[in-house]
Each structure stands twice: as C-alpha cells, then as structure tokens.
Amino acid sequence: MTNREFLTEYVSAFTHSLVQSGVKKAVISPGSRSTPLAYAFMKQQGIETYRQIDERSAGFYALGLAKASNSPVVLVCTSGTAAANYFPAIVEAFYARVPLLVVTADRPHELREVGAPQAINQINLFGSHVKWSADLPLPEQSNRLEFLKRHLSRAAAMAETAPKGPVHLNVPFREPLGIDFNQQYESEGELYRFESSQQLTDEAAAFLQEVFSQSRGLLIAGENTAQVSTRQWEFIRRLGWPVLADPLSNLRSNVPEDLKGMIIDSYDALLKSEKFADSMVPEAVVRIGPQPVSKPLSLFLMKTRPARYVVIDESPLLRDPQSAVTHHIQQHSAVLWEMSLAAKSPSPYLEKWTKAGELMRETMSAHCQQELDEGVLAKAFFDELDGCDLTVSSSMPIRDADTYFQVTQRDVGIYANRGANGIDGVVSTAFGIQAANKRPGYLLIGDLALLHDMNGLLASKLQAADMTVVVMNNDGGGIFSYLPQSKEERYYEELFGTPTGIQFKAAAELYDAEYFSAETVEELQAALRTPKEKAVRIIEVATDRANNVTVHRKLWSRLDEGLSTWS
Amino acid sequence: MTNREFLTEYVSAFTHSLVQSGVKKAVISPGSRSTPLAYAFMKQQGIETYRQIDERSAGFYALGLAKASNSPVVLVCTSGTAAANYFPAIVEAFYARVPLLVVTADRPHELREVGAPQAINQINLFGSHVKWSADLPLPEQSNRLEFLKRHLSRAAAMAETAPKGPVHLNVPFREPLGIDFNQQYESEGELYRFESSQQLTDEAAAFLQEVFSQSRGLLIAGENTAQVSTRQWEFIRRLGWPVLADPLSNLRSNVPEDLKGMIIDSYDALLKSEKFADSMVPEAVVRIGPQPVSKPLSLFLMKTRPARYVVIDESPLLRDPQSAVTHHIQQHSAVLWEMSLAAKSPSPYLEKWTKAGELMRETMSAHCQQELDEGVLAKAFFDELDGCDLTVSSSMPIRDADTYFQVTQRDVGIYANRGANGIDGVVSTAFGIQAANKRPGYLLIGDLALLHDMNGLLASKLQAADMTVVVMNNDGGGIFSYLPQSKEERYYEELFGTPTGIQFKAAAELYDAEYFSAETVEELQAALRTPKEKAVRIIEVATDRANNVTVHRKLWSRLDEGLSTWS
C-alpha cells in the first residue's frame, strides 16, 4: 500500500467508525492540516456535514446540533489557534452536558514546539473542560486500524455516557495530505457498541441470548473485587460454558462442588500448547471484568479472533489492548445474572475443557512432587490458605497465582494492583485490604517489590494488623528472566537483574516482625502453620532465578507431553 | 472598615500595583462579576483603558497593543465562557512571546461547580499556554494587601521575563460588587521592581551604591549551591556589613580568616532575644538567595520592616513569604561581586554583631560542656567534618545546622532540600550529591525521614558510594514538640509524635552498612573517627524528644542571660 492509499484507508476507517458509533453530523471548518479528514467526512455516507468558517461559531453551531438531535456531533478543524477557538463552546458543552467530539488536526511530533507555523501544543488543550482526550498516532502503515476504530468508539461512548460532554481527539498528519477519492473502504473488524442505557436494552438482551445459545462458548472472568453472589454461581451453572477464571476473578475459591469442572484454572498453561489451542477455537467469547493476566489467553484470542468477542463493561473506555473485542455492552456485569437462561446439558466443548483441566491437575501434582522452584513453593503456600485474603504482587506473583492457585472450596479472597500493574505500593495495599476485611491477610511478593514498599510494613505499628508476608527472594528482577532481554547478556544484571543481595531477616527485626526462612515445601508449611504471635510475619523463601525459569519450563513441557495425544 | 471600603481598597491596590509594575494599558470587556476591577481600572491614573465587547477581539486587540508598546497589557473580563474567549489570543501571545496579564473575575469558591450561573472551573483555565497562573484570595478584611501587591508584581515580572508571554490571574469576588469612587487610596508598602535587563541597569546600580553606603546594613545570604568565589569574599570584605549566613549559603565554611567576625552564624539564636533584636534594627537589608530557614530572622524583618529590603533574584517569582521585601532587582546575585565598592572601616553596627557572635560562641561552648541533647551531638558531629559534603534533612536537622554549624575555615559543602522542604527523598538526594562531588558524603537525618527514604540506601548497591548517615533517633516527629500542637495532648502521639520504635541496626544489616550507635559526644566522635570500610556507615544517635526541647530552650535562656547587659 502506498502512503496515499494508507492515509485514505485511515481517514475512511475514522469516519466509518464514527457512523458505527451513532454519529450523524459533523461541522467542518476550513484549513490545510485537516484536509484528509475534511475530505473523508464529506465523502462518508451516513454523516451530514455542515460548514462554518469561524471555529468559535462552528463550536456553538455544533452545540446546537447536538442539543437538538441528542446525539454526539463532530467538530473538525485544522491545527493552531483554530482549535483554541472551540474553547468557549467546549466549556459550555461541558457544563450543559452536551456530547461533542472535537477533532483537531495536528502537525506531527517533529514539527511541535520547534517554531513551525500553526503548531501549538494541542495535547490536553482543553484541560479539565473535556471529559477525555486522546492524541492519536500518525496514519502510518505500521499502525493498526483496529486500534483506531475502537478508540473512536471509546471517544463516542465517553461523550455519550452520563454526564454527557465534550471529548477531544487530536489527530496528527504528515504531508502530503491528499487522499484517493475512488478508493473503496471495506469495513471489517469493527466494534459494535450497544446503545448505552440504564438497563440492558432489548437489542442487547436478544443478542446475548443468541450468543449464550452457542455450544462452543467461553466465559472469561477478569478481576472482580465484589463478593461472588449465589446468583452468579447459578448463572454459570445454567450457562454450561467453561469459565476461564483469572485468579483475581475470585471464581477460584468458594467454588460449589458441582461447578468445579466448569471453572478452568489452567487455561494459561493449556493454551501454551499449540495443539490444544488449535482444537479449542470458540465460536463466541463473553468477557466480564478486565483482560486477564494470562498472555497465552490474549494470544489465543488475537489469533482466533472470535466472530463474537463480547465485553460487558460499564465504562465507556473499553479495556481491549489487543483490539480484538467485537461487541461492547456498556453495563455492569451483574445484568447477566438476571438473565433467564434455559439450563443446558454439558456440551462436548465443556467436557474437553474439564478433561484438560484434570490433566493439568495431575501433571501439576506429579511435577510438584519432583521439583522445587518458586512456582512449586507458591502452590504449597496457596494450598495452606483458608478464611483469609491473599494479595499478590505484580510481576511474577500474579503469574504464579494464575498457574498455581487451583480451584477450591476453601475461602480465599485474592487481590492485586492491576490498574497500572506496578510493583510499587503492594505492601501498603495488602495492609489496607487486611484492615478493611478484618481477617488474616497474606501477601505473596518478590524481593524488589517488598523493598520498594518496605515502609508499608509501618502500617502495623500505627494500626492493628494481621499479615503474613511470603517473600520470594530471587535477588532481583526475576520476571525479566522470562523475557527476550534475558538473551542479551550485555548490561543484563545492571539494568534488569539488579541484584541487591538483600536478606529480609534484618527487615523483620527493623519492623518488629516474626521471621522465618524456608527453602523447601516442608519448611514453608511449617512456618505457615506455626501459630502467629506478632502483627506481622515475614517468611523469606530463597529461590534462584535461573532455576525458576528451568523448572517453570519443565512444567510446560510435561503438560505438552500429556497433551500429545490430545484431539 | 466596611466590606465596601475594603473592596475599594483591594481593587485600588490592584490597579495601583500594576502601574507600579509598568503597566500602562488595560482592555476591559463588559460583565458583572468584574465590576469592581473595571471601575478601578477606569479610575486609575496612569492606565489608559480600552473597551471591547467581544473577549476574543479584546484578546487580539490587547495583543496588538502589547506588541506595539512593548510592555504588558492587561485584559479584564467577567467569569464564565467570557474567559474562554481569550484562549486564541493567549495561545498566539504564548508562541509570539507577547506579555499579557489576563485578569478573569470569578465567583467565590462556594459558587464553583455547584451549578451556579457563569461559574466554570477557571483554575489553570489556559493550561500550558500561559507562563504562570494564580488564583487570588477573595478581598476580605483578613487578607493582607501586601501580598496582593507583591503578587501582581510577580505576575507582571513573569510576563515580562524572557521569553515574554501571557500570565493569568483569576480574581474571585463576592457580591455586592460596588465600590466607593471617592475613597482615596494611600499607596504604601509597595514593591519596587527594577526594569529587567541583561545587566544591572544604571538605575539599579546607583540605587545599590546608595544602599550599600548605609552603615547599619545587613547582607542576608540564603541557599547557594554554587562555589563561593574569591570575588564574593572580596565583595563581603569591602562591603563591611555583617553577613547573616544561612547554613546553606555555604558562607560558613572555607571562611577567610579576616572575615570570620563578619560572617554571623548565630543570628537565629541572637534574634530570639527581644532586647538584642530591638537594638539591632537595620537601615537597609540586601538578600541574595531564598529566605533563610531562621524563623526569628523572618519575624525580625516582619517586625522592623526595613525601609529598604532589597532582594537580588533572577526569578520573576520573588521569594518573599512575609511580603516584606521593598525592592526586587531581577538579576543573578553575581552582579554584586562586579560592583566597585570603596572599602569602609568597620562600622559600630558590624562591631556589635561581631561581639554578639562571639558571645554566642562562648555560651555555646559552655552549654555543650554541660549538656547533652540532639543539638549538642549535632555540633560535635559538625565539628568533625572537613573536605566533605554534608546533607541535612528538612525538619530538625536543617535547624540544628543553623544553630550549631559554626563559621569555620574547614571545607564542608552543605546541602538540603528547601524547595518544598519535604522530609522525603533526603537519603537519595544525599547519595546523588555524593556521586556528583565524588568526595565523602555525610547526612544528618531524623528517624522518620530516614525511614521514609530508606530505599535510598540502595544507591550504594548499584553505584559507588561513600556515605556516613548520622540518624538522630528520637522515635518520631521531633519537630512537633517545638510547635503549638505539642500543648494539646489529645491525639498528639497518634498524629504528630508517631513513634515507630524503629532501631536502625537492622537497617544497616539489611543494606550491608557499617553500624555504630552513640549516646554521648565521645561515642559519636569515636564512631566518626573509625576508619570507614564499607560504602555506607550508619551512626544511630538515640535522643529523647522531651529532653531535646528542654536543652534547646536552656541554650536560648543561657544566651538571653548573656545578653542581659546588651545595649
């Protein structure tokens, strides 16, 4: 594709996605940098265009259009002070709660703040008077249009979500700015967003009924901090689909006996096997909560690109880093539990998932008897827990929870910071959770994250606390050993491994905590079973980064072997 | 004074200060909330007013006025979208570097974001396209006009400082908005700012010559991280004024033998004595660097309000929390060293300061032989230092440095974080200083600040380091014991004292540092004199909060006694 062809494709996808999102009107002001968008809007079927020379007037004109038509109206202008002229109308729209999609063309990064004409800083130009703003990537062949389409849907959804208001999209273009008017745009892979309303609309309900009637369906459950209700368990029972449950979904604990086979806790391991993944392609996927932590699952969804990948999420800002979601129902996931579904007999698809889950359990069991590494120790730790809350750090602990925390009837709440996935503040978060839930708290954390928020332990000096910290001390950044960087030896230890040689016995003393060290499963169990006397107990488990990688990989190859006869 | 009288006074001071700052033109748009300012500008002699109904036009009109007259022009409008209409002209002014003072009237806080008419969020309204913005306090009788006057000078200075540009002042008013046209405004206590230029202007140079010819003059030296040049010492020598040197001025170390009597290191202690302070009222004060840490000095300047309190500071944002400065010369302080001053014979005023300084030295000497507290230990620590850098934490350590770090020929660079005076990040800053200067680093810090940035010690694991940490462990927030809160027993320990019971021996072990504990001067000296073997050495000095207060106060009363015959 030539650059001109790609630019044409980009702006066509731009306007087409807005039509898909329910946009019907656009007000265009003249200018050079906005040329590709102006052309595309003129050409786009389903969008009525209006012209206004003065952007300030254009802004208030669009406000009137949006007020009267009760749907979001697009504004398009060129770069520079043109955009600033929208400001009065944007402020009015913000307080009057009128949905506007303000699209400002911009110069590319290399022309910003260097004295180029009509180049001003347009990032966050309208400050706190827009509900959301985004700086879009340049239309370059390497950019994925899927992202663009979904981002425009996000913008429209944000403008239309109560309280409605203006949203700003800044769109840089490089010259030349001409497009090919004859180039056809084949719309595909776009997101369908159901009309937002207080309750599930009839359209959305009918759609979901049809989706849930599929026999090769997957329910994917991401993080959820609300208590799992009996109605949710009942919904899962009637749905009869395998449930791929992220450790943070809290669907792996308190699991009713009859549902144990339906809750799949080993999809991360299973989907690493190409053979298995290829045989389990779903017809429909419904996700509640954010994207699970499992990378194999993300890759599986990206590769299979299910025709219906539905997300139930009350936020207009759809969580979809792979741009693979096809339908967004902007509702709280609890609307599902109210749906009346006819109970189905178990499908062969579910039976295969259940069987694979059992295979993984057996493989894991054998593996843990023969090996010793961070994962094996993590499993021994998880198996001890009941009537408590577990916080897992970002980096390796959340991944070890994914692999080694197995479905159980025991009562364990699982928490992690997955909003931004940082390793900072984990100790403090765990203490906050413990203080709110008022039952024993457990924390699984690596040495770097514990060091990072070691002051979090002070919480125990200032408030009542009951915390057991299990620190996997592999002397540095263990997760990097699993990443491509680990193959480059130069600067590896300085930049990624960052060994500190820190031992936490002294930290325990510093913060007046009980201290245990454990190198074996038995030592770890003994430490966990010792009656706790102080507010904080630190159990330091010394592990080895290289060995962890080897043994983790051994588990995958053992499972792969078990799946060799899979069909 | 009635509210109406005060409102009249406020807006009169407003416009008068702008005249003082060189403003000659204002463009006013009609509106209700801006009524008091609009009246005041119309009435103000020395300001030519222009009217424009549309604020967007007003903005570009003011831009034209400012371009052609090469001086800052004021814009005045009412609250709401009126202000937003200035945005295009503001953006143009920002990139074209044209000085504008954008004054937007606003509703008071209780009418913001509650659905009141013409009330929008005007805080930081113009985002990154103004050089500076400030939300002014309401004109209430409790507000000090001195602050207003200086803040307007700051705004004008900022607009005029290269690169020139727009500045935003948001000014809330409560109804009623009428002023008294017949009320006279007596201008007094205003700041005089000398025209900003590359070099000292003739006017400023002549003014300084006159100021420096005074015999009762004080040179106040605040924080300075540049090396003190021989030309600076030579300037001090010729000036013949006492120099009140903040510990961070770096004028207390490397002091030439003949200047020892001129560098006053004990003004904080001396000015606590009312008798002393009353007898030492200066005729002129010149300050370089920011406001020193000493509170007695601030109170002294506030009380005596010298007729000429000159600050040499290259920033337009004058540092003057007491609103006591009378003249601002916007230049780097190094311009002083170039001035030719005739050497003077020592004045009786200098001789009195020198004598008082000697008295304090003797008192301190006797005090330290009889007492033991954080201060006495700090002095013993400071007296050991040479050929090194010392970082002092905020809170008590900087104050102990002020009191106990005495003028010396030894070579000690002193640093602290006094931009925002936080106790966070102090350890890391000290290691950064040590890494840059590549000579032994010392850190004086309290237990809470050390805990706060204990991870800063990790610097020693990742880079070469040579650091001695002296931690004064008084188990909590010692400085609060000196503040009025300490008289209220309820919640005191929970909210202010916050004892943690932390001992740092374990921290030393954790970070592989040498550890010493010291409770006496001799133990501290022994620890400091022990040859250092590891990258980091922690010397923990256990002190007692209550005793520290008692002994500090004993020093002041001993000095007070010594000053009982002062005249």
Side-chain angles (χ1 to χ4, degrees):
Chain A
M1 240 189 213
T2 64
N3 280 339
R4 182 185 171 91
E5 282 165 348
F6 194 79
L7 177 61
T8 305
E9 182 88 352
Y10 180 94
V11 293
S12 302
F14 196 106
T15 56
H16 196 275
S17 302
L18 290 176
V19 171
Q20 182 95 334
S21 298
V23 170
K24 293 186 183 66
K25 296 175 195 308
V27 182
I28 302 169
S29 293
S32 167
R33 191 58 51 167
S34 50
T35 299
L37 280 173
Y39 284 155
F41 274 104
M42 293 300 278
K43 199 183 148 205
Q44 178 64 51
Q45 284 195 335
I47 291 193
E48 196 168 354
T49 58
Y50 305 82
R51 266 77 48 207
Q52 186 53 273
I53 289 168
D54 182 332
E55 287 83 4
R56 181 171 62 169
S57 307
F60 283 106
Y61 188 85
L63 184 87
L65 288 172
K67 277 193 166 192
S69 63
N70 233 328
S71 70
V73 172
V74 171
L75 279 162
V76 180
C77 74
T78 189
S79 68
T81 47
N85 276 280
Y86 284 150
F87 200 28
I90 286 171
V91 172
E92 173 61 23
F94 183 77
Y95 286 100
R97 305 183 184 174
V98 177
L100 292 181
L101 287 164
V102 183
V103 179
T104 57
D106 198 359
R107 313 227 136 188
H109 297 72
E110 67 272 18
L111 292 180
R112 298 177 185 173
E113 304 291 337
V114 295
Q118 281 184 300
I120 71 171
N121 180 1
Q122 297 182 190
I123 309 296
N124 295 326
L125 184 66
F126 305 114
S128 50
H129 292 92
V130 286
K131 291 185 64 185
W132 183 60
S133 67
D135 187 40
L136 294 184
L138 279 159
E140 288 175 328
Q141 307 221 7
S142 55
N143 291 331
R144 293 179 51 209
L145 291 178
E146 284 77 7
F147 160 75
L148 174 70
K149 295 170 196 168
R150 280 162 185 78
H151 226 45
L152 291 170
S153 174
R154 287 183 182 96
M158 183 56 105
E160 283 200 281
T161 297
K164 299 181 182 188
V167 157
H168 174 212
L169 295 167
N170 193 53
V171 193
F173 292 106
R174 277 207 191 93
E175 294 178 349
L177 301 166
I179 69 165
D180 178 353
F181 290 100
N182 297 319
Q183 189 175 316
Q184 292 301 306
Y185 174 67
E186 294 292 330
S187 151
E188 62 169 45
E190 263 157 27
L191 180 73
Y192 188 88
R193 190 170 54 84
F194 290 87
E195 195 191 329
S196 170
S197 71
Q198 279 298 96
Q199 290 168 331
L200 213 51
T201 60
D202 291 346
E203 186 203 8
F207 171 76
L208 280 173
Q209 283 290 0
E210 198 272 315
V211 167
F212 285 139
S213 72
Q214 301 296 317
S215 54
R216 290 178 72 93
L218 286 175
L219 183 69
I220 297 178
E223 182 181 12
N224 159 48
T225 57
Q227 185 127 26
V228 178
S229 65
T230 50
R231 288 181 305 167
Q232 183 170 353
W233 289 122
E234 182 51 31
F235 169 82
I236 289 171
R237 189 173 284 118
R238 278 179 291 135
L239 178 59
W241 279 6
V243 179
L244 309 192
D246 186 82
L248 303 177
S249 67
N250 282 313
L251 290 175
R252 294 196 191 177
S253 314
N254 296 303
V255 179
E257 181 63 32
D258 67 314
L259 295 183
K260 278 182 73 174
M262 291 175 75
I263 308 295
I264 311 300
D265 55 21
S266 49
Y267 56 88
D268 179 84
L270 291 167
L271 291 171
K272 280 193 171 81
S273 153
E274 208 172 314
K275 185 167 189 170
F276 177 81
D278 286 347
S279 75
M280 301 302 278
V281 175
E283 285 164 348
V285 171
V286 175
R287 165 155 66 83
I288 52 178
Q291 178 87 9
V293 69
S294 165
K295 193 167 177 183
L297 175 59
S298 297
L299 294 173
F300 177 65
L301 293 170
M302 266 175 78
K303 191 179 168 197
T304 59
R305 294 195 88 76
R308 275 166 298 182
Y309 177 3
V310 187
V311 168
I312 325 283
D313 186 343
E314 58 191 340
S315 167
L317 294 181
L318 177 69
R319 292 181 282 202
D320 177 22
Q322 281 75 37
S323 297
V325 173
T326 60
H327 296 77
H328 178 198
I329 297 177
Q330 200 185 322
Q331 297 278 347
H332 191 283
S333 56
V335 295
L336 294 185
W337 323 153
E338 308 304 323
M339 288 183 70
S340 62
L341 287 181
K344 283 173 289 197
S345 52
S347 69
Y349 188 65
L350 170 61
E351 279 165 1
K352 280 180 84 174
W353 273 102
T354 305
K355 198 178 128 202
E358 276 159 17
L359 175 67
M360 179 59 180
R361 273 189 174 251
E362 287 155 21
T363 308
M364 176 88 83
S365 212
H367 173 85
C368 288
Q369 273 163 26
Q370 294 165 51
E371 308 289 344
L372 185 63
D373 79 332
E374 237 172 71
V376 173
L377 289 157
K379 181 170 184 307
F381 167 49
F382 298 146
D383 288 348
E384 291 292 311
L385 303 178
D386 197 6
C388 63
D389 292 299
L390 166 67
T391 302
V392 289
S393 175
S394 289
S395 195
M396 283 313 288
I398 177 67
R399 292 180 169 80
D400 283 339
D402 200 7
T403 306
Y404 299 101
F405 194 102
Q406 297 182 316
V407 165
T408 175
Q409 286 180 276
R410 285 176 285 118
D411 176 17
V412 185
I414 311 186
Y415 295 86
N417 284 342
R418 300 304 289 173
N421 319 95
I423 63 159
D424 45 342
V426 175
V427 176
S428 297
T429 302
F431 274 88
I433 288 163
Q434 196 279 318
N437 282 355
K438 292 192 171 61
R439 60 180 191 169
Y442 288 80
L443 168 62
L444 179 66
I445 193 166
D447 53 305
L448 284 190
L450 177 54
L451 258 183
H452 210 289
D453 189 27
M454 202 151 59
N455 267 343
L457 295 170
L458 275 175
S460 67
K461 299 247 175 192
L462 305 171
Q463 273 89 219
D466 179 357
M467 182 62 63
T468 298
V469 178
V470 174
V471 50
M472 295 289 183
N473 190 346
N474 56 36
D475 196 15
I479 200 169
F480 296 107
S481 307
Y482 296 82
L483 302 182
Q485 290 94 314
S486 65
K487 289 175 193 134
E488 173 59 70
E489 281 178 25
R490 275 168 295 191
Y491 307 128
Y492 182 77
E493 284 298 302
E494 291 96 317
L495 293 179
F496 306 106
T498 55
T500 62
I502 292 274
Q503 304 289 318
F504 291 95
K505 189 176 196 313
E509 197 181 319
L510 190 63
Y511 294 96
D512 192 28
E514 294 171 35
Y515 176 81
F516 297 83
S517 79
E519 294 194 8
T520 65
V521 168
E522 294 69 30
E523 285 169 6
L524 175 59
Q525 288 168 337
L528 288 163
R529 290 171 193 173
T530 304
K532 190 160 160 288
E533 283 164 7
K534 294 187 173 179
V536 180
R537 166 170 61 183
I538 296 177
I539 304 175
E540 180 165 17
V541 182
T543 74
D544 177 82
R545 283 189 252 146
N547 176 61
N548 290 335
V549 176
T550 312
V551 177
H552 267 80
R553 290 195 174 139
K554 229 184 249 183
L555 173 62
W556 313 144
S557 69
R558 282 199 169 102
L559 181 65
D560 223 36
E561 218 168 281
L563 288 168
S564 63
T565 57
W566 187 263
S567 64
Chain B
M1 239 189 214
T2 64
N3 281 339
R4 182 185 170 90
E5 283 165 349
F6 194 79
L7 177 61
T8 305
E9 183 88 354
Y10 180 94
V11 293
S12 302
F14 196 107
T15 55
H16 196 276
S17 301
L18 289 176
V19 171
Q20 182 95 336
S21 298
V23 170
K24 294 186 182 68
K25 297 176 196 304
V27 182
I28 302 170
S29 293
S32 169
R33 191 59 49 169
S34 50
T35 300
L37 279 174
Y39 284 155
F41 274 104
M42 293 300 279
K43 202 183 144 202
Q44 178 64 51
Q45 285 195 333
I47 291 194
E48 195 169 354
T49 58
Y50 305 81
R51 266 78 48 205
Q52 187 54 270
I53 289 169
D54 181 332
E55 288 83 3
R56 182 173 60 170
S57 306
F60 282 107
Y61 188 86
L63 184 87
L65 288 172
K67 277 194 165 190
S69 63
N70 232 328
S71 71
V73 172
V74 171
L75 279 162
V76 180
C77 74
T78 189
S79 67
T81 46
N85 276 280
Y86 285 151
F87 200 28
I90 286 171
V91 172
E92 173 61 22
F94 183 77
Y95 286 100
R97 305 182 185 176
V98 177
L100 292 181
L101 287 164
V102 183
V103 179
T104 57
D106 198 0
R107 313 226 137 190
H109 296 72
E110 67 272 18
L111 293 179
R112 298 178 185 172
E113 304 289 339
V114 296
Q118 282 185 300
I120 70 171
N121 180 0
Q122 296 182 190
I123 310 294
N124 295 327
L125 185 66
F126 305 113
S128 51
H129 292 93
V130 286
K131 289 185 65 185
W132 183 59
S133 68
D135 187 40
L136 294 185
L138 279 158
E140 288 174 329
Q141 306 221 7
S142 55
N143 290 332
R144 292 178 53 209
L145 290 177
E146 284 78 7
F147 161 73
L148 175 70
K149 295 169 195 168
R150 280 162 185 79
H151 227 44
L152 290 170
S153 173
R154 287 183 182 97
M158 183 55 105
E160 284 199 281
T161 297
K164 298 181 181 187
V167 157
H168 175 211
L169 295 167
N170 193 54
V171 193
F173 293 106
R174 276 207 193 93
E175 295 178 349
L177 302 166
I179 69 165
D180 178 354
F181 289 100
N182 297 319
Q183 188 175 315
Q184 293 301 306
Y185 174 68
E186 294 291 329
S187 151
E188 62 169 47
E190 264 157 25
L191 180 74
Y192 188 88
R193 190 170 55 83
F194 290 86
E195 194 190 331
S196 170
S197 69
Q198 278 297 96
Q199 290 169 330
L200 213 51
T201 60
D202 290 346
E203 186 202 8
F207 171 77
L208 280 174
Q209 283 289 358
E210 198 274 316
V211 167
F212 286 138
S213 72
Q214 301 296 316
S215 55
R216 289 178 73 90
L218 285 175
L219 183 69
I220 297 178
E223 182 182 11
N224 159 48
T225 55
Q227 185 127 28
V228 177
S229 65
T230 50
R231 288 180 306 167
Q232 182 169 355
W233 290 122
E234 181 52 29
F235 170 82
I236 289 170
R237 187 173 284 117
R238 277 178 293 135
L239 177 58
W241 279 7
V243 179
L244 309 192
D246 187 81
L248 303 178
S249 67
N250 282 314
L251 289 174
R252 293 196 191 176
S253 313
N254 295 303
V255 180
E257 181 63 31
D258 67 314
L259 296 184
K260 277 182 74 174
M262 292 176 75
I263 308 295
I264 311 300
D265 54 24
S266 49
Y267 56 90
D268 178 83
L270 291 166
L271 292 172
K272 281 193 170 79
S273 155
E274 208 172 315
K275 184 167 190 171
F276 178 82
D278 286 348
S279 75
M280 301 301 278
V281 175
E283 286 165 346
V285 171
V286 175
R287 166 156 66 82
I288 52 178
Q291 179 87 8
V293 70
S294 166
K295 192 168 177 182
L297 175 59
S298 297
L299 294 173
F300 176 66
L301 292 171
M302 265 173 79
K303 191 179 168 197
T304 59
R305 294 196 88 78
R308 275 167 299 185
Y309 177 2
V310 187
V311 168
I312 324 283
D313 186 343
E314 57 191 339
S315 168
L317 294 181
L318 177 68
R319 292 181 283 203
D320 177 22
Q322 282 77 38
S323 297
V325 172
T326 60
H327 296 76
H328 178 196
I329 297 177
Q330 199 185 322
Q331 297 279 348
H332 191 285
S333 56
V335 295
L336 295 185
W337 324 152
E338 308 304 325
M339 289 182 69
S340 61
L341 287 181
K344 284 174 286 198
S345 51
S347 70
Y349 188 65
L350 169 61
E351 280 165 1
K352 280 179 82 173
W353 273 102
T354 304
K355 199 178 128 204
E358 276 159 15
L359 174 68
M360 177 58 180
R361 275 191 172 249
E362 286 156 18
T363 308
M364 175 87 83
S365 212
H367 173 85
C368 288
Q369 271 162 26
Q370 294 166 50
E371 308 290 344
L372 185 63
D373 79 332
E374 235 171 73
V376 172
L377 288 157
K379 180 171 185 306
F381 167 49
F382 298 145
D383 287 349
E384 292 292 311
L385 303 178
D386 196 7
C388 63
D389 291 299
L390 165 68
T391 302
V392 289
S393 175
S394 289
S395 195
M396 283 312 291
I398 177 70
R399 291 178 171 80
D400 282 339
D402 200 7
T403 307
Y404 300 100
F405 194 103
Q406 299 181 315
V407 164
T408 176
Q409 286 180 275
R410 284 175 286 118
D411 175 18
V412 186
I414 310 185
Y415 295 87
N417 283 341
R418 299 304 289 172
N421 318 97
I423 64 158
D424 46 340
V426 176
V427 176
S428 298
T429 302
F431 275 88
I433 288 163
Q434 196 278 320
N437 282 354
K438 291 192 171 61
R439 59 181 191 168
Y442 288 79
L443 168 63
L444 179 66
I445 192 165
D447 53 304
L448 284 191
L450 176 53
L451 259 182
H452 210 290
D453 189 25
M454 202 152 59
N455 268 342
L457 296 171
L458 275 176
S460 68
K461 299 247 174 191
L462 306 172
Q463 273 88 221
D466 179 357
M467 182 62 63
T468 297
V469 179
V470 174
V471 51
M472 294 290 183
N473 191 347
N474 54 36
D475 195 15
I479 199 168
F480 296 107
S481 308
Y482 295 84
L483 302 182
Q485 291 94 312
S486 65
K487 287 173 195 137
E488 172 59 69
E489 281 178 23
R490 276 169 294 191
Y491 308 127
Y492 182 77
E493 284 298 304
E494 291 95 318
L495 293 179
F496 307 105
T498 55
T500 62
I502 293 274
Q503 303 290 319
F504 291 94
K505 189 176 195 315
E509 198 182 317
L510 190 62
Y511 295 95
D512 191 29
E514 293 170 36
Y515 176 81
F516 297 82
S517 80
E519 295 195 8
T520 64
V521 167
E522 294 70 28
E523 284 169 7
L524 175 58
Q525 287 167 338
L528 287 162
R529 290 171 192 171
T530 304
K532 190 159 160 291
E533 283 164 5
K534 294 187 173 181
V536 180
R537 164 168 63 181
I538 296 177
I539 303 174
E540 180 165 18
V541 183
T543 74
D544 177 82
R545 282 189 252 146
N547 176 62
N548 290 334
V549 176
T550 313
V551 177
H552 268 81
R553 289 195 175 138
K554 227 182 253 186
L555 174 61
W556 313 145
S557 68
R558 282 199 168 102
L559 181 65
D560 222 36
E561 216 169 282
L563 289 168
S564 63
T565 58
W566 186 264
S567 63

